[in-house]
Amino acid sequence: MKQKKSPIELPEEGCTSVLLHACCAPCSSAIVEWMLQHGVRPTIYYFNPNIWPRQEYDIRKEESKRHAGSLGLDWIDGDYDHEAWLRAVKGLEHEPERGSRCQQCFQLRLVAAAQKAHELDFRFFTTTLASSRWKSIEQITAAGLAAEQAVPGTRFWAQNWRKGGLSDRRNELLRQYAFYNQQYCGCEFSQRAADKEACANI
């Protein structure tokens, strides 16, 4: 019987390192585990100026740092400049989730990841954003490829990190590590949408 092809593949044979843009610890956990099991050592880059308020950002940051530390992985703290992020999405505040604001947000964060990868001599970069069922894989892939073009010498590892049992494993690791599990994407606009939906369901 022919063995079923895995839905998750290395970006190229022999790849042993990658810069992993991480949005949070829960979304990182199963991805990092898969990488380590397949001979890839990720360096985690936490760059999420979209997250609001600052207290929420700091909680997610510390959880990501705790996760990396528990595995002995290098962890990089990106700059938090929420005002610059707001300027980048100006005019898109009322866009729906998975709309133009999200596309702009992904691209800003992944260009920063590509720049950091280039700075640290990583050929490949990828993102945990592609693990969330709430986000568009097509938007994330487009943003990653645009970032690759913007920063010559880098390559975006386009991967649907929901597949291969990783979504279920994420939930297991969330409980195992007792991670803080956020209830909205991160920005104030997604929070307002989540609050509105919650009120509608009361």
Side-chain angles (χ1 to χ4, degrees), residues 20-66:
L20 175 62
H21 167 261
C23 57
C24 64
C27 288
S28 304
S29 56
I31 298 171
V32 168
E33 183 179 75
W34 185 95
M35 288 180 174
L36 292 173
Q37 289 172 348
H38 290 81
V40 180
R41 189 171 182 82
T43 289
I44 295 176
Y45 180 49
Y46 185 80
F47 178 74
N48 304 289
N50 58 303
I51 298 175
W52 179 91
R54 180 61 188 255
Q55 180 182 11
E56 178 77 17
Y57 172 86
D58 287 337
I59 292 171
R60 297 190 196 191
K61 181 180 80 170
E62 290 306 315
E63 287 289 77
S64 176
K65 191 174 182 180
R66 174 169 74 91

Side-chain angles (χ1 to χ4, degrees), residues 30 40 72 85 101 149:
V40 180
W85 181 84
R101 184 184 67 250
Q149 291 296 312

Side-chain angles (χ1 to χ4, degrees), residues 95-106:
E95 284 286 308
E97 292 299 292
R98 298 191 177 204
S100 300
R101 184 184 67 250
C102 293
Q103 184 70 63
Q104 178 71 1
C105 178
F106 297 154

Side-chain angles (χ1 to χ4, degrees), residues 6-12 15 17-24 26-42 110 124-138 140-141 144 155-171 173:
S6 172
I8 301 176
E9 297 182 330
L10 294 174
E12 72 175 17
C15 174
S17 64
V18 64
L19 186 80
L20 175 62
H21 167 261
C23 57
C24 64
C27 288
S28 304
S29 56
I31 298 171
V32 168
E33 183 179 75
W34 185 95
M35 288 180 174
L36 292 173
Q37 289 172 348
H38 290 81
V40 180
R41 189 171 182 82
L110 292 184
F124 295 102
F125 69 99
T126 190
T127 179
T128 64
L129 291 168
S131 70
S132 173
R133 63 192 178 96
W134 303 109
K135 296 181 175 67
S136 163
I137 290 293
E138 292 75 20
I140 293 163
T141 299
R155 279 185 56 191
F156 179 61
W157 182 358
Q159 177 64 59
N160 185 338
W161 294 107
R162 305 169 193 166
K163 295 188 175 182
L166 265 63
S167 287
D168 290 339
R169 183 58 179 154
R170 171 198 185 280
N171 294 332
L173 289 169

